Amino acid sequence: MIEWITSLLSFLPTEVVTVITIMIKIVVIIVPLMLAVAYLTYAERKIIGAMQVRIGPNRVGFFGFRLLGLGQPIADAVKLMFKEIVIPTKGNKFLFLLAPLLLIAPALAAWAVIPFAPEMVLADINAGLLYVLAVTSIGVYGVIIAGWASNSKYALLGAMRSAAQIVAYEIAMGFALVGVLMASGSLNFGEIVLGQKGYGFVSWYMWPLLPLFVIYFISGVAETNRAPFDVAEGESEIVAGFHVEYSGMPFAVFFLAEYANMILIAGMSSIMFLGGWLSPLSGLLPDSVFEIPVVGMLLGDGIHWFFAKIAVFLFFFLWFRATFPRYRYDQIMRLGWKVFIPITIFWLLVLGLAILAGLPPWFTQA
């Protein structure tokens, strides 16, 4: 496809063709991602509804057909587009509107280095992991600016509380990713995935890094302000957190950012610990099985495994919300600072010893 477009635009200067090609790749990534964000809200309402013996969205469809309520996310988006945007009288208008963008832009920009399959990545840079950590850390500024620009004490207190929670769990997530860096010896996502190739799911990093894997995912739930860590939305405690003064599309962008970050955390967890696009059966079944026309394609490595692993992690996000009550804020901070960080530091020491000993099948090349 890209080669065809390049040949079609061959009459243009090389630099212009390169820019157009990159823009097309960005659209190919962003449009399905935004659709996934929209329909993740639908999936959440249906799945949690099923867990709680409710129906969930089932009315809004397309062209007079209900179609299980699949038109609900589109209807929600249209409604929010036409709602009035109310800006506090004495608030900072520029920062007030900038804050939602500071939250959603990093969640989308991080996908520039995420590999969906071999050779299917927008920018295959060597420091991909470092890039994602740097870009996603900008999100906390969006939270702080939203609270401050609202000119509301409730919003400011909610912003401080959310920012402290995000910082606490980002440290634990960073230490967990250091374990992946040690195991793979690379900051490149493609090389991290290929480092888990060998004996199917047995070679995944989730086994030697199991405590780091669990801590990373739970920290991801906390950093995205999802239940049971959603103290930013603790209405009975502090109204509605840092976005209490927002309405219309700016309000919607905050939740788009939340769901986009959920998908990003799920994708990162898949790449770092579950082998990304690698099949859990590759290396365990005879090679002849993977030569069967359709079955071999489904059982072999491919982008479908990456999406399947993301779907499993997203299901856990929704399951947690339907299951656990909201934690107290002091419990959340204690878990981040006094439990997760010491465990990650200790396991990095254990991991270093395992690498030094060449623990098979993960570190035999060390």
Side-chain angles (χ1 to χ4, degrees), residues 2-42:
I2 297 299
E3 290 77 7
W4 177 77
I5 294 173
T6 303
S7 62
L8 193 66
L9 301 174
S10 58
F11 64 93
L12 294 172
T14 306
E15 295 78 6
V16 176
V17 174
T18 302
V19 171
I20 294 175
T21 304
I22 292 173
M23 293 301 295
I24 292 173
K25 290 180 179 179
I26 291 173
V27 170
V28 168
I29 293 174
I30 295 298
V31 171
L33 179 60
M34 296 309 296
L35 286 174
V37 167
Y39 277 92
L40 182 56
T41 64
Y42 171 82

Side-chain angles (χ1 to χ4, degrees), residues 99-100 103 142 146 242-243 246 249-259:
L103 273 170
F242 60 90
H243 46 62
Y246 283 83
M249 278 307 294
F251 177 77
V253 170
F254 278 118
F255 285 91
L256 287 176
E258 178 181 310
Y259 286 92

Side-chain angles (χ1 to χ4, degrees), residues 42-53:
Y42 171 82
E44 178 171 29
R45 294 161 74 178
K46 293 293 282 188
I47 291 171
I48 294 179
M51 289 180 175
Q52 298 173 348
V53 199

Side-chain angles (χ1 to χ4, degrees), residues 16 34 61 91 101 184 218 224 226 261 294 324:
V16 176
M34 296 309 296
L101 300 179
S184 64
I218 295 177
T224 51
R226 292 287 302 180
N261 275 312
V294 178
F324 295 104

Side-chain angles (χ1 to χ4, degrees), residues 223-240:
E223 192 177 358
T224 51
N225 282 320
R226 292 287 302 180
F229 302 97
D230 58 338
V231 293
E233 301 167 31
E235 295 88 352
S236 62
E237 305 160 23
I238 199 163
V239 188

Side-chain angles (χ1 to χ4, degrees), residues 94-108:
F94 173 73
L95 294 178
F96 187 84
L97 297 176
L98 177 66
L101 300 179
L102 287 178
L103 273 170
I104 196 168
L108 300 179

Side-chain angles (χ1 to χ4, degrees), residues 10-295:
S10 58
F11 64 93
L12 294 172
T14 306
E15 295 78 6
V16 176
V17 174
T18 302
V19 171
I20 294 175
T21 304
I22 292 173
M23 293 301 295
I24 292 173
K25 290 180 179 179
I26 291 173
V27 170
V28 168
I29 293 174
I30 295 298
V31 171
L33 179 60
M34 296 309 296
L35 286 174
V37 167
Y39 277 92
L40 182 56
T41 64
Y42 171 82
E44 178 171 29
R45 294 161 74 178
K46 293 293 282 188
I47 291 171
I48 294 179
M51 289 180 175
Q52 298 173 348
V53 199
R54 293 186 289 107
I55 296 175
N58 69 330
R59 296 281 175 177
V60 184
F62 299 97
F63 308 109
F65 298 97
R66 291 185 179 178
L67 300 175
L68 302 175
L70 285 171
Q72 190 64 54
I74 309 299
D76 293 339
V78 172
K79 179 192 74 171
L80 287 165
M81 285 179 187
F82 288 98
K83 290 192 73 173
E84 181 183 4
I85 299 174
V86 180
I87 299 176
T89 304
K90 295 185 179 181
N92 188 310
K93 183 177 180 180
F94 173 73
L95 294 178
F96 187 84
L97 297 176
L98 177 66
L101 300 179
L102 287 178
L103 273 170
I104 196 168
L108 300 179
W111 286 91
V113 297
I114 300 295
F116 297 90
E119 308 301 327
M120 289 185 64
V121 57
L122 179 61
D124 188 17
I125 62 177
N126 290 329
L129 179 56
L130 192 61
Y131 167 83
V132 170
L133 289 175
V135 167
T136 54
S137 64
I138 298 173
V140 69
Y141 293 104
V143 172
I144 296 173
I145 290 173
W148 186 84
S150 298
N151 192 33
S152 166
K153 300 299 184 293
Y154 290 111
L156 183 60
L157 288 172
M160 292 298 100
R161 185 161 73 165
S162 296
Q165 174 181 327
I166 291 171
V167 170
Y169 284 91
E170 267 195 354
I171 295 174
M173 290 178 72
F175 277 124
L177 294 182
V178 168
V180 178
L181 172 60
M182 291 173 60
S184 64
S186 175
L187 287 167
N188 181 277
F189 284 122
E191 293 180 8
I192 290 173
V193 171
L194 294 177
Q196 302 173 67
K197 191 175 182 66
Y199 302 99
F201 66 90
V202 178
S203 298
W204 292 350
Y205 287 148
M206 67 171 291
W207 305 116
L209 308 181
L210 186 59
L212 302 184
F213 166 56
V214 173
I215 288 173
Y216 178 82
F217 186 64
I218 295 177
S219 297
V221 175
E223 192 177 358
T224 51
N225 282 320
R226 292 287 302 180
F229 302 97
D230 58 338
V231 293
E233 301 167 31
E235 295 88 352
S236 62
E237 305 160 23
I238 199 163
V239 188
F242 60 90
H243 46 62
V244 65
E245 300 292 344
Y246 283 83
S247 61
M249 278 307 294
F251 177 77
V253 170
F254 278 118
F255 285 91
L256 287 176
E258 178 181 310
Y259 286 92
N261 275 312
M262 287 168 57
I263 299 175
L264 178 62
I265 293 295
M268 290 277 290
S269 300
S270 169
I271 289 173
M272 301 295 211
F273 301 98
L274 269 68
W277 66 79
L278 297 179
S279 167
L281 303 174
S282 179
L284 297 178
L285 296 178
D287 293 341
S288 57
V289 174
F290 300 103
E291 296 174 1
I292 302 174
V294 178
V295 176

